[in-house]
């Protein structure tokens, strides 16, 4: 039977989608799942009442933390038996049993099976085994997003239409009854959407006001994501009501009243409540429902048939759907007015953390620099030795006592408002909370402790009070606003048990910034594959850059991937399109500027062109065609223009008056070179830099840090002076950087190079040579580069033998001896890396 994908159905919102949540039986039995689907096959879609569309099945992964059959195994059996005919599958993917690599492997298996939908969850804490939780729901969603982007980036131009994309959903619970737990759920829901969730499925719960609250919150915040209401058949057919009531299924809440009611009823009444809930979700605007806990297909259809009878008129059943906790927090009153949020006083430990962090760990304060200097003097920055060990053991003891530190070595206390989400959380999550907190804010996995998410919220909210007291609004960003957006990266497992303070002070942890300002080079029309796809996109016509298409997805993936890899700028070069028709490159640059603005997560563009008209059009478009001066509140980061030369500077630099930008000053000249071998000498190149600098800073108001000089890269493979006494180009390039960076008059400027040019025509190991080239150039003062951002140049060590090779070229000052050394090493490199024929 032809199947319309779940994604398409949700996009078109054509009908009310029903998903059936199916779980295996005791003894790892597939039988209940197969029986359900066999009954559906025999009954046919006609058994489902009009207005409902049974579209697929959801497959939990070891629900309740008890080992059970794997969703991938279930899918392969169902596919083999032809039981999925016409139905989609939504396997749950969780982080409880697998580390990040194992999750990737598992997703690849699903991809191979043709599965597109997944529900990305942190997962229940395993009852008997050790939980993993290297990732949690946000880390998992980001991983899936990355896999989707890579699938496009790695596809052949002619195969873009077949690129597999996961359609990931996430969970949300509106059924929390403390302010902290509830607001954390909404904040985390927003973060899940930011990390790539495309649909939501609610937690189970029986409180219509809470269900409505979720839809009100989404509407209030302009979020149009499709939501599935989770309808669980709460029935004495299973022990679920008692287990939920007794907090044996963390995150699920059944009140005393509801348990008593369910126990006093017959199964027909349980089915009736489930049907009322289906009708309620439909009337509230849900995209569909996910129905679970139903033992067979027949009862599922009874629920749907009764829901169809109820239709939109569910409100007479409100009392039967309203089983809240005592003293429940609701974000909106019954008349829809928003509740004011609390502003607690900071606790002693919060104040102590803020004080000590500010005193020695905040770079804005002098204590940080003194502390760092002392520790460097003592040699602790090397991460070994007796003093380091003493420091580390003291830090461990101190932080264990105060923060329940478990020595991850990659500390997120500042991001988490002074609380540790490893030691303080039963799952040790990077981004707390999960959805397991009880109605009174305790951890559902350990009732002895308050959920860490609850405590983080209180700490964040206390910063709001502090902001009110200080009345400046500038002392700190308001805590809740910060909490609402902060997404912690996965911790670096390599740092476990090392000193987190030393790692932080010496930039080895997640706060580390690349020493190189990286300008992503991937969107360049002269890269064969990219150029071909750019052409395909262009040929789609007028609306090509706004209408969904595979080539557009590819370009978006390039933009997002580079932004995700930490690019400081995303370069776009369209000069190949302008060779026959210069205006085409101008028009296309406007479109690409819009794409980078839209999908670059705030990373500014590097407008890369030898045509000044392309640069000018791109610059104006970056600011939406409006002068930046007329839009002073703009938070758009200024773009980078590549390149400006001495003979174009008086045309281009005056644009700064209306459109702020940084630029790469290319050190080339139309004047006849006077250096050895007929090329520009180091002194001449520095002279060009000075001319540009003086004009830019003195006349046009640029700050030195807005200027990048490019002394040009010559491929190592052909850097061979033809005459004795003539230095190599690499020597000249590096020495020019050194001279510019040591000139006090030009203090603050950057030096940048197009790194990939250095390895042109080399037979192999191009990434390694680029790494070595960057490492060597950085010794001379290079601090920026047009690079492949995935290789993290400047942060990963270069192989010593390649560093030796580049060093030989950097030293080729014209002497025969140094040239022979460079040629000898290059000969050896080529011999060792010759490709087999
Ligand atoms: S402490 Fe909170 S976030 Fe951690 S496992 Fe318990 S309920 Fe979940």
């Amino acid at each position: 039977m032809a199947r319309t994908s779940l994604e398409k159905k949700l996009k078109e919102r054509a009908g009310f989608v029903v998903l059936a949540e199916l779980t295996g039986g005791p003894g790892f039995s597939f039988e209940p799942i197969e029986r359900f689907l066999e009954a559906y096959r025999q009954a046919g879609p006609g058994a489902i009442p009009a207005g409902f569309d049974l579209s697929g099945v959801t497959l939990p992964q070891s629900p309740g933390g008890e080992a059970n059959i794997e969703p991938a195994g279930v899918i392969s059996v169902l596919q083999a038996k032809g039981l999925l005919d016409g139905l989609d599958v939504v396997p749950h993917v969780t982080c409880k049993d697998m580390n990040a690599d194992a999750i990737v492997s598992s997703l690849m298996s699903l991809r191979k099976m043709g599965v597109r939908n997944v529900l990305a969850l942190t997962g229940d804490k395993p009852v008997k085994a050790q939980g993993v939780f290297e990732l949690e729901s946000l880390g998992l969603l980001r991983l899936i997003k990355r896999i989707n982007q890579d699938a496009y980036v790695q596809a052949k131009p002619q195969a873009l239409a077949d690129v597999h994309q996961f359609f990931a959903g996430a969970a949300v619970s509106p059924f929390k009854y403390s302010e902290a737990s509830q607001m954390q759920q909404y904040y985390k829901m927003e973060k899940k959407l930011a990390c790539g969730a495309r649909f939501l499925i609610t937690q189970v719960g029986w409180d219509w006001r809470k269900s409505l609250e979720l839809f009100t919150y989404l509407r209030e915040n302009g979020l149009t994501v499709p939501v599935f209401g989770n309808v669980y058949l709460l029935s004495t057919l299973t022990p679920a009501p008692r287990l939920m009531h007794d907090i044996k299924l963390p995150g699920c809440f059944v009140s005393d009243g509801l348990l008593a009611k369910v126990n006093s009823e017959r199964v027909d009444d349980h089915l009736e409540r489930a049907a009322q809930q289906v009708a309620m979700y439909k009337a509230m605007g849900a995209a569909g429902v996910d129905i679970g806990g139903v033992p067979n297909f027949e009862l599922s259809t009874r629920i749907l048939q009764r829901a169809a009878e109820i239709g939109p008129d569910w409100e007479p059943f409100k009392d039967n759907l309203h089983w809240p906790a005592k003293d429940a927090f609701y974000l909106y009153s019954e008349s829809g007015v928003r509740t004011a949020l609390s502003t607690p006083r900071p606790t002693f430990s919060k104040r102590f953390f803020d004080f000590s962090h500010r005193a020695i760990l905040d770079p804005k304060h002098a204590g940080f620099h003194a502390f760092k200097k002392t520790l460097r003097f003592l040699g602790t920055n090397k991460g070994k030795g007796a003093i380091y060990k003493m420091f580390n053991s003291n830090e461990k003891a101190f932080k264990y006592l105060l923060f329940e530190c478990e020595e991850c070595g990659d500390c997120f206390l500042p991001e988490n408002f002074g609380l540790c989400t490893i030691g303080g959380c039963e799952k040790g999550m990077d981004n707390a909370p999960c959805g397991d907190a009880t109605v009174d804010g305790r951890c559902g996995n350990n009732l002895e402790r308050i959920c860490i998410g609850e405590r983080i919220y209180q700490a964040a909210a206390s910063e709001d009070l502090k902001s009110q007291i200080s009345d400046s609004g500038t002392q700190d960003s308001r805590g809740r606003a910060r909490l609402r957006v902060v997404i912690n990266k996965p911790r670096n497992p390599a740092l476990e048990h090392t000193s987190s303070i030393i790692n932080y002070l010496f930039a080895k942890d997640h706060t580390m910034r690349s020493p190189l300002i990286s300008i992503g080079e991937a969107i360049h029309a002269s890269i064969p594959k990219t150029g071909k796809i750019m052409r395909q996109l262009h040929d789609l016509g007028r609306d090509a850059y706004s209408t969904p298409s595979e080539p557009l997805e590819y370009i978006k993936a390039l933009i997002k991937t580079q932004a995700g890899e930490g690019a400081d700028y995303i370069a776009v070069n369209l000069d190949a399109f302008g060779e026959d028709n210069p205006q085409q490159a101008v028009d296309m640059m406007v479109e690409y500027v819009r794409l980078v603005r839209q999908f670059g997560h705030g990373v500014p563009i590097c407008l890369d062109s030898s045509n000044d008209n392309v640069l000018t059009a791109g610059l104006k478009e970056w600011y939406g065609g409006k002068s930046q001066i007329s839009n002073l509140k703009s938070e758009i980061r200024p773009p980078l223009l590549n390149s400006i030369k001495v003979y174009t500077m008086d045309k281009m630099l005056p644009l700064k008056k209306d459109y702020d930008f940084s630029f790469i000053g290319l050190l080339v000249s139309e004047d006849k070179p006077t250096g050895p071998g007929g090329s520009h000498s180091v002194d001449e190149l520095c002279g060009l830099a000075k001319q540009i600098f003086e004009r830019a800073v003195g006349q046009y108001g640029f700050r030195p840090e807005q200027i990048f000089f490019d002394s040009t890269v010559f491929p190592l493979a052909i850097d061979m002076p033809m005459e004795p006494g003539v230095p190599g180009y690499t020597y000249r390039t590096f020495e020019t950087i050194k001279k510019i960076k040591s000139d006090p008059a030009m203090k603050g400027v950057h030096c940048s190079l197009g790194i990939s040019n250095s390895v042109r025509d080399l037979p192999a190991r191009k990434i390694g040579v680029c790494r070595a080239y960057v490492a060597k150039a950085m010794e001379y003062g290079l601090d920026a580069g047009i690079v492949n951002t995935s290789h993290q140049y400047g942060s990963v060590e270069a192989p010593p033998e390649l560093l030796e090779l580049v060093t030989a070229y950097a030293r080729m000052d014209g002497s025969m001896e140094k040239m022979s050394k460079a040629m000898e090493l290059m000969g050896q490199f080529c011999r060792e890396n010759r490709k087999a024929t």
Side-chain angles (χ1 to χ4, degrees), residues 125 424-429 432-438 442-446 449-453:
K125 185 167 186 260
C425 168
E426 285 295 305
K427 294 179 184 171
M429 295 166 57
C434 66
D436 290 353
T438 63
R442 294 186 171 273
C443 171
N445 301 293
N446 177 358
R449 71 176 1 155
I450 304 288
C451 169
I452 194 70

Side-chain angles (χ1 to χ4, degrees), residues 652-666:
M652 298 302 295
L653 297 183
L655 291 167
K656 166 89 160 79
K657 188 159 69 70
D658 290 325
Y659 307 96
D660 196 15
F661 64 94
S662 300
F663 70 89
I664 295 180
L666 188 64

